[in-house]
Amino acid sequence: MKLIRFGAVGEEKPGVQLANGTKIDVSGFGSDYNEYFFGNNGIEKLAKWLETNQDSCPEVDGDTRLGAPLTRPSKIICVGLNYAMHAAESGMDVPKEPVIFFKATSSIIGPNDEVIIPKGGDKTDWEVELAVVIGKKASYVSEADALDHVAGYVLHNDVSERAFQLERSGQWVKGKSCDTFAPLGPFIASADEIEDPNNLNLWLKLNGEVLQNSSTSDFIFNIQEVVSYLSQFMTLLPGDIISTGTPSGVGFGFDPQRYLKEGDVMELGIEGLGVSKQVCKDYK
């Protein structure tokens, strides 16, 4: 199943993208895509509900804005330096354990919304990432059981202001959490739609030029390892997002370095998870 949310900012409704690409309004199901939905077998219940109600669901116009495909979760946890080639381009050693940091949930936007280069920022960068959506509360989970706690997967652009992240004292969260820095979607694909999340092509274009083109097979720590590892330090709640890192090809890794400016267009995608597109605007 492919879960979408659609409508004006702050007024999004839950929907489903069908196999033929048609989008339908499932507001009649009675639940948005939130912690309660994911933690109470919402995907399975929605699928059952659609068996008898799909024909009465209104179709969503193709021009309607898509929002982030879930409501604001309790947390976004990110894994840094999780691709071998990205660690190399960053000039950093391959980590012995996952490098983790948080990203403010207030940074979440829809897949095709504008990305705002923040006030005082001049090194805003792109990062295509596979994100995991937790479907069942997870605490001290083994690697063998980790995927049982995954509801689905979603495309994420982990936009980053490198000046805030790397040149100011403190932790990476400052460079990761600016408003609009977490475009999500276009949809959440339920776990059964993705045969092997550890072997997916992912890519990003800047103004039509392919800058990132890799596979999650280059993970240093795969999905099972990451979910299990994080659950040793915190409880993962239904709807929580784990963003699993970016491959090589970010602006920080170029010589000379390349960063986003007003009018730039990022287009990115992951096999089985669709495509998103963001235009960059300066903070006003």
Side-chain angles (χ1 to χ4, degrees):
M1 182 176 291
K2 294 180 173 67
L3 306 179
I4 63 168
R5 294 173 73 247
F6 64 93
V9 176
E11 300 177 1
E12 294 91 347
K13 297 178 180 180
V16 167
Q17 179 174 310
L18 303 177
N20 64 3
T22 300
K23 300 177 180 67
I24 59 172
D25 181 343
V26 298
S27 299
F29 176 66
S31 175
D32 205 345
Y33 302 145
N34 52 25
E35 180 179 338
Y36 179 84
F37 173 86
F38 290 109
N40 286 275
N41 299 312
I43 292 177
E44 293 82 357
K45 291 176 181 176
L46 176 56
K48 185 69 174 177
W49 182 85
L50 284 171
E51 290 178 4
T52 54
N53 292 278
Q54 180 173 312
D55 291 344
S56 62
C57 292
E59 189 169 327
V60 179
D61 187 273
D63 295 329
T64 302
R65 170 188 173 269
L66 290 178
L70 76 172
T71 61
R72 188 179 297 178
S74 81
K75 49 190 171 290
I76 304 173
I77 314 158
C78 300
V79 183
L81 303 175
N82 197 29
Y83 286 75
M85 291 181 65
H86 177 51
E89 74 173 349
S90 300
M92 301 180 185
D93 293 335
V94 172
K96 295 181 175 61
E97 297 185 32
V99 175
I100 63 172
F101 58 92
F102 286 95
K103 192 175 182 91
T105 59
S106 55
S107 63
I108 293 174
I109 57 172
N112 303 308
D113 291 344
E114 293 178 346
V115 164
I116 306 301
I117 297 171
K119 182 179 181 179
D122 60 0
K123 295 181 179 179
T124 303
D125 206 347
W126 54 86
E127 295 191 7
V128 59
E129 303 203 6
L130 170 65
V132 175
V133 180
I134 294 297
K136 185 168 63 174
K137 186 175 179 180
S139 181
Y140 300 110
V141 173
S142 69
E143 290 181 24
D145 294 334
L147 292 185
D148 293 339
H149 294 262
V150 173
Y153 303 93
V154 64
L155 172 64
H156 175 217
N157 189 356
D158 178 23
V159 185
S160 309
E161 173 49 55
R162 302 300 187 192
F164 299 170
Q165 177 190 358
L166 301 172
E167 298 172 15
R168 305 282 292 271
S169 60
Q171 299 183 340
W172 287 5
V173 63
K174 290 190 297 188
K176 298 287 188 171
S177 295
C178 302
D179 291 350
T180 76
F181 269 24
L184 290 175
F187 53 77
I188 294 170
S190 56
D192 61 301
E193 292 214 356
I194 303 299
E195 182 177 352
D196 183 2
N198 297 310
N199 188 24
L200 298 175
N201 174 248
L202 70 171
W203 54 269
L204 181 143
K205 298 178 184 178
L206 179 64
N207 301 324
E209 179 186 1
V210 177
L211 296 183
Q212 294 186 279
N213 188 11
S214 186
S215 170
T216 57
S217 61
D218 192 41
F219 275 152
I220 296 169
F221 304 103
N222 68 23
I223 300 296
Q224 296 93 312
E225 292 171 309
V226 166
V227 171
S228 174
Y229 181 84
L230 292 174
S231 77
Q232 310 307 308
F233 302 98
M234 67 195 80
T235 296
L236 305 175
L237 296 177
D240 280 356
I241 295 169
I242 302 170
S243 201
T244 58
T246 198
S248 60
V250 300
F252 176 75
F254 282 90
D255 185 13
Q257 293 173 345
R258 300 173 62 175
Y259 293 115
L260 296 167
K261 59 186 185 300
E262 185 167 57
D264 280 347
V265 179
M266 296 176 284
E267 187 175 4
L268 54 150
I270 299 179
E271 180 183 350
L273 295 177
V275 174
S276 69
K277 185 176 183 179
Q278 301 97 41
V279 177
C280 297
K281 298 289 185 182
D282 287 335
Y283 174 85
K284 297 291 194 295

